[in-house]
Amino acid sequence: MVLLKALSRSFTLVACDAVGTHPMQRLVEMINMEEEREIIFLSIREDIVKLAFHDKGNYVLFNTLNALQGERFDYIINKLIGHFHRLSLD
């Protein structure tokens, strides 16, 4: 929890970093508490499309989708719906 809170302001930056993406993926895979899900969601909410198109960040976004549930999951999917055609081409 402490680590997530410390990373929350730079979540996208670390997720898109060549070195940071792998530990971030593992960190997201380990979450199991509602408060952790909320921190991650709030950390990426404004950067969903950026993460989806980034060659490293998309892996973190995928892991985040696996970890989130309900309205948060739906929110991310809805943000990406208008970009699906671009995702399949990139």
Side-chain angles (χ1 to χ4, degrees):
M1 185 66 69
V2 172
L3 189 56
L4 280 176
K5 287 180 181 179
L7 287 169
S8 65
R9 291 187 179 168
S10 56
F11 193 94
T12 299
L13 181 66
V14 175
C16 293
D17 182 78
V19 175
T21 189
H22 298 290
M24 188 65 79
Q25 290 174 52
R26 295 304 144 302
L27 182 63
V28 171
E29 288 174 354
M30 294 172 35
I31 68 165
N32 59 12
M33 295 174 20
E34 185 61 26
E35 188 176 357
E36 293 168 327
R37 289 183 185 94
E38 183 69 7
I39 291 169
I40 290 174
F41 175 72
L42 293 174
S43 298
I44 67 163
R45 184 175 52 185
E46 302 301 321
D47 297 320
I48 292 167
V49 174
K50 178 181 179 177
L51 286 167
F53 285 98
H54 192 274
D55 63 330
K56 307 276 186 272
N58 72 80
Y59 293 104
V60 175
L61 182 62
F62 179 76
N63 286 354
T64 301
L65 280 169
N66 284 329
L68 297 182
Q69 305 164 349
E71 291 178 11
R72 293 183 197 112
F73 180 90
D74 294 344
Y75 179 88
I76 293 171
I77 295 301
N78 287 331
K79 283 285 240 185
L80 295 173
I81 283 176
H83 301 278
F84 277 168
H85 66 286
R86 289 178 44 212
L87 286 170
S88 64
L89 297 175
D90 289 347

